[in-house]
Amino acid sequence: MTSPRATLIQVAERAGVSLASTSRALHGTGASPAMVERVRAAAAALGYSADAIGRSLRMKKTFQVAFAVADIGNPVYVEMMRAIHAVLEPHGYRVVVMSTGDTATSTTELVRSLNSGFVDGMIVSPLRTDDRLIAEIQQAPVPVVVIGRALDDRGISSVSTDSAGGIGEAVRHLHALGRRRLGFLNGPLDTTPGAARQRGFDAVTQEITFDREDQEIAADFTVTAGLDAARRLFARGRVDALVAANDLLAIGAIRAVRELGLSVPEDVAVTGMDDTEIGRVFQPSLTSVSLGSTERGRAAAEIMLQLADDPDRAVQQIAVGPELVVRESSNPGGA
């Protein structure tokens, strides 16, 4: 028989362990996997439900961590969120997903709201940053981990990637395939990813010669913006290779190629960036530069756990390298 009013003491008695061990097992703090399984089985049998409010008051913690991004529908952030949840959930933390908006000011205001104490920490991936935002993160009353720019020189723990180098890998791949008329679709240059990917394109095209180079800046990093930007680029002349700054822009570009009665990759080879699930299942499957979305989310969550235990812990900087994944959009045999 189960009881909705079962107590922690009853769970401990059923599991045959101490009250302290029961609490640790249920909250994911310092218990072995076998202990966790044993205690949770006892709790399930009794219908035990933890008193989250009482626990928060006793421990002066909310057991909530915010994950703040500009576009909660972007598949990159969805993959990060899953990884963050997988790390934090066994330790008793909920992940609260929040939208920062696409400006540094709106992100700054969200970080400032941490003073209200609604979460124990924040993992944020800002689209745009400025000195005010950095200052607010430095002064935050709870730990903040940034996914994006490397900010260890500003006293902020962060998880970064080399998207500039990733663009270089994509361009070299297309050149090796014999493509000589290159187009580049980027997002807004005042964003962290847009600026980094522009640096990468400028650097690699200083090293490698193409017969024609053209580029277009999309209004944002979405499929619709990619379609519009690709149409503008193709109106100025044909290319046989196109590098897009993310997978969503690349998918929009493929639609623009088809509107011209051309095919991918036979007429135009296309690469994206982020190696998202939608790019992997798209037809043709998308050649893309993986920036380790899952790895970055996992690393940020692990840093957050360490800071939650020791807020004075030294600043950490983790870098995840790019990896080109070749599929059908640049190689008919790629899969």
Side-chain angles (χ1 to χ4, degrees):
M1 180 179 296
T2 64
S3 170
R5 297 182 181 275
T7 67
L8 191 65
I9 293 174
Q10 290 172 322
V11 174
E13 290 174 347
R14 185 179 182 95
V17 299
S18 71
L19 190 61
S21 295
T22 301
S23 179
R24 287 195 299 271
L26 289 174
H27 300 145
T29 54
S32 69
M35 178 71 74
V36 170
E37 182 178 358
R38 183 176 177 180
V39 170
R40 289 188 176 179
L46 292 170
Y48 173 78
S49 178
D51 180 1
I53 295 176
R55 180 187 176 212
S56 296
L57 290 173
R58 287 193 305 273
M59 303 187 71
K60 296 182 170 59
K61 296 179 70 173
T62 67
F63 291 92
Q64 295 189 148
V65 171
F67 177 47
V69 297
D71 179 5
I72 59 177
N74 188 306
V76 172
Y77 299 137
V78 173
E79 291 185 12
M80 287 182 183
M81 178 191 66
R82 289 172 179 162
I84 291 168
H85 171 77
V87 172
L88 296 182
E89 191 272 339
H91 293 270
Y93 287 92
R94 300 182 187 89
V95 179
V96 181
V97 181
M98 309 184 72
S99 176
T100 64
D102 61 2
T103 68
T105 298
S106 58
T107 308
T108 299
E109 292 173 352
L110 186 59
V111 174
R112 186 177 296 126
S113 73
L114 292 172
N115 287 303
S116 65
F118 67 99
V119 292
D120 298 328
M122 175 180 284
I123 298 171
V124 60
S125 184
L127 192 60
R128 294 173 171 88
T129 59
D130 59 18
D131 289 340
R132 289 187 305 160
L133 173 57
I134 291 172
E136 203 65 47
I137 292 174
Q138 291 170 329
Q139 299 165 14
V142 296
V144 177
V145 179
V146 173
I147 300 179
R149 289 176 53 189
L151 293 169
D152 52 323
D153 62 329
R154 308 297 291 270
I156 298 170
S157 291
S158 56
V159 181
S160 62
T161 188
D162 182 14
S163 60
I167 288 291
E169 289 191 22
V171 170
R172 292 186 183 91
H173 165 67
L174 294 170
H175 189 271
L177 293 175
R179 308 290 174 143
R180 293 296 180 266
R181 290 174 287 122
L182 177 66
F184 177 44
L185 289 187
N186 199 3
L189 298 182
D190 65 339
T191 64
T192 297
R197 291 162 206 196
Q198 188 66 49
R199 287 196 304 272
F201 183 80
D202 292 344
V204 72
T205 52
Q206 291 285 323
E207 302 172 5
I208 300 176
T209 301
F210 287 85
D211 296 338
R212 177 174 182 262
E213 294 173 19
D214 195 5
Q215 52 187 300
E216 187 65 46
I217 305 301
D220 52 40
F221 289 95
T222 63
V223 172
T224 299
L227 173 60
D228 292 342
R231 284 169 174 165
R232 295 194 299 270
L233 187 147
F234 293 143
R236 297 195 294 270
R238 296 289 174 86
V239 298
D240 61 10
L242 195 148
V243 174
N246 79 347
D247 284 1
L248 299 181
L249 292 175
I251 290 170
I254 290 173
R255 170 67 182 272
V257 171
R258 290 171 173 164
E259 287 180 349
L260 296 172
L262 303 175
S263 62
V264 175
E266 289 77 12
D267 299 309
V268 183
V270 178
T271 68
M273 177 167 279
D274 288 326
D275 190 30
T276 58
E277 183 178 21
I278 189 172
R280 295 191 287 270
V281 302
F282 191 73
Q283 288 296 320
S285 57
L286 191 61
T287 292
S288 186
V289 178
S290 171
L291 298 178
S293 299
T294 295
E295 291 82 356
R296 285 186 286 157
R298 183 183 301 119
E302 289 171 349
I303 293 173
M304 178 58 63
L305 283 177
Q306 294 167 7
L307 291 173
D309 289 338
D310 180 9
D312 297 324
R313 189 181 182 92
V315 169
Q316 294 190 60
Q317 168 60 42
I318 296 176
V320 176
E323 179 183 359
L324 180 70
V325 183
V326 178
R327 298 193 182 92
E328 296 166 342
S329 68
S330 68
N331 173 17

